[in-house]
Amino acid sequence: FQPDLLWIKNRSQTDWHMVQDSVRGANKVLYSNTTDGEDTDNTNGHVNSFLADGFNVDAGASGNVNENNENYVAWNWYAGGSTVTNNDGSRTAQVRANPTAGFSIVTSTSGGSSDGTYDSFGHGLGVAPDIILFKNRDIGDNWSVYNSNFSNAYTKILQFNTIDETTSTNHWGTANPTSTTFSLNQASVFNSAGEDLVAYCFSEVAGYSKFGTYVGVDNANGIFVHTGFKPAFVMIKRLEGGYSWYMLDNKRDPINPIHENLYANDNIATYDYSMGDLLSNGFKLRNTGTDTNKVDDHIFLAFAESPFKYTRAR
């Protein structure tokens, strides 16, 4: 399929995470591990075209996406057939949505920066999003993460590029996202009118995606987290204290246990540490590390290897 959201990380070197999408355009790059705004035609390498069945990368002057003999991972999401204009919110948005998979890409611009004023944006999912990854493309500012699992979720925020714990905020307006729109506080998100934004919106789909919480047990025979499917990709974040966003998948680790670790908030190369197992109906942690299995609250995002029905045990 054509990847509409494409996320690439050099596993061999301390290169930045490369986040690109088909709505902004193949040569437009954001970085999950930094506050930097959008970069065009990154000279260290970037995706230069989305294809019907994959993507092409530009070699560049460094190892972001195509250094000789270095190892990479690419995570891909499909957001539907075309980008459409969406007027459900107070601001006109360009939206590419795949409601069946619970995923959409939203781009738009800010209306202003007046205190107490909120912009709303259509997301195209038909149900309220459970996860929103938001970035102001024009300025050096934090990524913002909305998570519906929090109580009064619209008052909470995580910052994707940092290890910070959950903080209270009026970032998301005065109510949780609806089946048609989500909101942003102009004063806390934008400096002026006309600033560009992008949001990646996810709603949970049974048999394909699961976004939840768990409490670790601080034991090598760790917590089992039920997803209802065999995960291909899992992201984990401990909420109390400063801990990284762990990224696990079944391509770097086709055989249990999972041990190749990358952080969404950090540019480090892969390091080897046994995390646990990806199983036929969830994942099980098998470590006593402080980041993913302590007796504290954690959030996770999981996507299925074989969506919607039954999978064989691993």
Side-chain angles (χ1 to χ4, degrees):
F1 62 89
Q2 174 185 303
D4 292 306
L5 171 59
L6 177 55
W7 186 331
I8 298 177
K9 176 67 177 79
N10 187 341
R11 300 155 56 194
S12 301
Q13 298 290 340
T14 55
D15 286 318
W16 288 6
H17 292 254
M18 308 289 285
V19 180
Q20 301 183 233
D21 65 70
S22 62
V23 179
R24 291 184 294 130
N27 63 335
K28 305 288 186 181
V29 185
L30 289 167
Y31 314 96
S32 70
N33 57 283
T34 181
T35 61
D36 282 27
E38 184 176 82
D39 193 4
T40 301
D41 291 327
N42 184 292
T43 57
N44 291 322
H46 61 277
V47 174
N48 57 13
S49 62
F50 294 103
L51 308 177
D53 59 352
F55 57 92
N56 280 338
V57 290
D58 183 352
S62 186
N64 282 354
V65 295
N66 197 21
E67 186 78 7
N68 190 37
N69 293 324
E70 293 186 354
N71 298 311
Y72 295 84
V73 60
W75 303 289
N76 305 262
W77 287 263
Y78 177 62
S82 61
T83 302
V84 300
T85 299
N86 184 302
N87 291 304
D88 290 338
S90 63
R91 302 292 299 168
T92 297
Q94 299 301 307
V95 178
R96 183 171 286 224
N98 184 353
T100 301
F103 173 56
S104 69
I105 302 169
V106 180
T107 63
S108 188
T109 58
S110 60
S113 59
S114 301
D115 289 344
T117 302
Y118 297 90
D119 287 336
S120 60
F121 307 88
H123 54 68
L125 292 178
V127 297
D130 294 298
I131 302 291
I132 301 173
L133 309 179
F134 164 80
K135 183 70 175 72
N136 185 330
R137 300 158 55 188
D138 287 347
I139 63 174
D141 199 8
N142 290 316
W143 287 79
S144 305
V145 179
Y146 169 87
N147 189 321
S148 67
N149 287 287
F150 299 146
S151 176
N152 296 320
Y154 69 93
T155 67
K156 307 292 197 312
I157 193 171
L158 285 166
Q159 296 172 336
F160 205 32
N161 51 286
T162 76
I163 61 174
D164 293 351
E165 60 186 40
T166 309
T167 57
S168 298
T169 180
N170 61 354
H171 184 97
W172 305 109
T174 57
N176 290 335
T178 70
S179 62
T180 56
T181 64
F182 67 91
S183 296
L184 293 168
N185 183 348
Q186 293 178 0
S188 65
V189 181
F190 302 109
N191 291 328
S192 61
E195 291 181 359
D196 293 311
L197 66 90
V198 64
Y200 304 118
C201 303
F202 299 87
S203 60
E204 191 173 287
V205 176
Y208 170 65
S209 58
K210 182 74 175 176
F211 314 123
T213 64
Y214 68 86
V215 177
V217 295
D218 196 15
N219 189 296
N221 184 21
I223 187 77
F224 167 73
V225 180
H226 182 263
T227 61
F229 53 77
K230 182 179 179 180
F233 174 91
V234 179
M235 182 181 288
I236 299 172
K237 172 77 169 78
R238 180 178 167 185
L239 297 181
E240 289 85 356
Y243 295 96
S244 291
W245 297 79
Y246 275 78
M247 306 177 80
L248 316 173
D249 66 67
N250 66 351
K251 293 299 182 286
R252 289 177 292 149
D253 284 302
I255 300 173
N256 287 326
I258 301 298
H259 63 90
E260 278 210 25
N261 290 281
L262 289 169
Y263 301 146
N265 55 278
D266 201 306
N267 67 348
I268 63 169
T270 292
Y271 79 95
D272 194 323
Y273 177 71
S274 183
M275 291 289 295
D277 300 335
L278 298 180
L279 304 173
S280 59
N281 60 347
F283 60 94
K284 183 176 177 63
L285 297 167
R286 297 188 182 276
N287 66 78
T288 56
T290 58
D291 287 33
T292 60
N293 196 28
K294 277 294 184 181
V295 186
D296 275 327
D297 292 321
H298 302 71
I299 61 167
F300 70 89
L301 292 71
F303 294 90
E305 176 179 298
S306 297
F308 305 119
K309 210 56 180 169
Y310 304 108
T311 61
R312 297 177 181 175
R314 182 168 173 173

